[in-house]
Amino acid sequence: MAKPKRVYQSWKGNNKFLLDGRLIFGPDAKSLIITFTLILVPVVIFCVFVASNLAHKFTTGSIGYAILVLAVVFTIYVLFLLLSTSTKDPGIVPRNSHPPEDVSGYDSSASIDVGKPLPLTKEIIVNGLPVRVKYCETCMLYRPPRCSHCSVCNNCVERFDHHCPWVGQCIGKRNYRCFFLFVSSTALLCVYVFSMSALYLKLLVDDYGTAWKAIKVSPASVALMAYCFVSLWFVGGLTGFHLYLISRNQTTYENFRHRRLRGDNRINVYYRGCMNSFVEVFCSKIEPSKNNFRGYIHEGASKTSKGGNIQVTEVDISDEDRRVKVEDDLEIGDDLMKISQRRNSQDIGDIRGRGSDRSPISRSELDFGFGLESQFSYRSESRHSGW
């Protein structure tokens, strides 16, 4: 009798696995080599040509060597965060083996004969407000709130932020914290190397009298300062951008959709205050993966859970979060003129009153306010660039 395959061996996504499914990467995992090189090479140059020489410039030797040790420890920490981001399940929603059968008004058996497709969207009630969730043909499920399908990894990812080619992985619910710490720590490492290189150059200027002679003695210091200055524009700017997103409880993808739809005055239903947003990202417990990649595949086994009029795969919406989680399926530009003409002072109570009267074609601004994760079209997933 043939031994059953493990889940990772028959995985339908574009992921790559190592150590018998213990580590999961994106399809562009080779880019990690470039990222490692961009971090390690400057630090090695700094330790050999700057930090080791800088140690002899202090009367107290322990201070000089502390600069070298700190650079090494900090670099190891940054690389650890990089690996944690790249090798962790970002929050992949398990696929269904067949389309959902509990959709109201849809007969799955009849659809086989007449070719009737599943509804593209399902309307659900969240906190008394009607919102829409979108059906994913690839994963054969109605996507959980704040979930989007990554066209690079070919997976639906919870709280999808973006696909980052620099780490070779999607950034989502389970690895966003590691990603932010990696980016911010890399920015601090750039500041540290730049500062110590500038300090060493200044000490050389004091010794030799002119900046030109100091540069000739330590050209590595100048090269490192230039490299860190350029890098800091990237990782520093990215750190500031994600601090802004965290303060608004928003993802990169949601922010992109906001700007595309020009709806700066729309309601952000995920926002619960700046402090609570930071607590949610940095202090909340990271949920375990919904996929057992090392488990064995048993034919006929189906691991899905159903709720209401949509099918959700093991999605945990805790009471303590108490934030509204929804997803809209509207396409870009649909009824933008109507939305822009509506008064910004319209209150949510008026919107609730109109929720049941809304037609499938005329969509209210509430749909746009809740639906920050909509795709450009239903049948073509947009490819998300990395940050």
Side-chain angles (χ1 to χ4, degrees), residues 303-365:
K303 190 177 182 181
T304 59
S305 61
K306 301 176 181 179
N309 292 330
I310 63 172
Q311 178 159 336
V312 179
T313 307
E314 295 186 2
V315 176
D316 180 19
I317 304 179
S318 59
D319 292 334
E320 62 183 7
D321 283 344
R322 305 206 49 90
R323 62 187 176 100
V324 184
K325 300 180 179 179
V326 294
E327 181 180 10
D328 179 73
D329 71 319
L330 303 181
E331 298 180 355
I332 289 181
D334 189 9
D335 288 341
L336 280 180
M337 294 302 296
K338 293 182 180 179
I339 294 173
S340 62
Q341 292 171 359
R342 300 197 179 199
R343 297 192 306 270
N344 296 338
S345 60
Q346 256 182 331
D347 57 81
I348 297 179
D350 294 335
I351 297 173
R352 290 187 179 181
R354 298 198 310 271
S356 59
D357 298 330
R358 197 180 54 196
S359 64
I361 298 177
S362 176
R363 299 167 173 118
S364 69
E365 66 272 49

Side-chain angles (χ1 to χ4, degrees), residues 65 70 78 80 103 106 111 121 173 193 202 217 231 245 254 275 289 371:
Y65 286 108
L70 183 59
V78 169
F80 170 77
V103 182
Y106 171 75
S111 66
T121 64
K173 184 177 182 178
V193 173
K202 180 184 180 301
V217 172
S231 301
L245 292 179
E254 290 168 355
M275 184 61 66
S289 174

